[in-house]
Amino acid sequence: MAGLVPFNRRTPDLLSSTFDDFYNMLDDFFTDNWPFRRSLAADTFKIDVLEDDKNYYIAAELPGVKKEEINVTIDEGRLQISVNREENVEEEGKNYIHRERRHTSMQRNIFLADASDEGVVAKLENGVLNITVPKKEKPDKSVPIEIE
């Protein structure tokens, strides 16, 4: 009968009667693929960053988010995209016993070393926020060295 209870799938010895099995069972319960496990991918929005010689291009997936709920700032090369969204539907004439609301707050920061704070353009289209950040002009600081 003990072989039918998978307390510790990592160890083949299921008939052991030590307290280690109890701790392993708790460890399995909290570390296996639990459906409510939090992860960075599930808690935030996805972003893609591309660059060329003159600009950085950032695409953030924000389906269902309005532009009024998005805040984009840049400070010394640190681009911050934040979303603050509250879903609250008011319905009159209903006799609720239980009612839930949803408040979502997400934020992503990207460090762009040579980004300019001026000339940044952001546009929201079809649930994708596209941001173009120009790069700073780098002065040529190379010094020619004569060969003797």
Side-chain angles (χ1 to χ4, degrees), residues 4-54:
L4 297 177
V5 182
F7 286 129
N8 185 1
R9 290 180 214 111
R10 293 184 188 101
T11 312
D13 184 17
L14 292 174
L15 301 175
S16 175
S17 62
T18 64
F19 280 106
D20 291 338
D21 287 342
F22 178 74
Y23 292 119
N24 287 335
M25 178 186 67
L26 289 176
D27 187 40
D28 286 346
F29 181 79
F30 288 109
T31 59
D32 278 359
N33 292 329
W34 188 248
F36 303 109
R37 181 182 237 175
R38 293 179 58 92
S39 69
L40 180 64
D43 292 344
T44 60
F45 48 91
K46 292 179 174 56
I47 58 171
D48 294 326
V49 181
L50 299 169
E51 73 171 318
D52 61 18
D53 292 339
K54 297 188 182 226

Side-chain angles (χ1 to χ4, degrees), residues 79-116:
L79 179 71
Q80 182 181 71
I81 306 168
S82 59
V83 176
N84 193 3
R85 184 173 190 199
E86 186 171 336
E87 295 178 20
N88 190 7
V89 179
E90 295 294 329
E91 297 179 30
E92 295 183 21
K94 303 280 183 171
N95 188 18
Y96 288 101
I97 295 173
H98 177 79
R99 189 160 183 212
E100 295 182 352
R101 283 130 191 98
R102 180 178 298 167
H103 180 81
T104 305
S105 179
M106 299 178 283
Q107 176 177 312
R108 297 291 301 266
N109 292 300
I110 308 163
F111 182 70
L112 307 169
D114 55 347
S116 173

Side-chain angles (χ1 to χ4, degrees), residues 3 15 67 74 94 96 99 119-120 130 134 139 147:
L15 301 175
K67 70 178 185 176
I74 190 164
K94 303 280 183 171
Y96 288 101
R99 189 160 183 212
V120 179
N130 292 302
I147 302 174

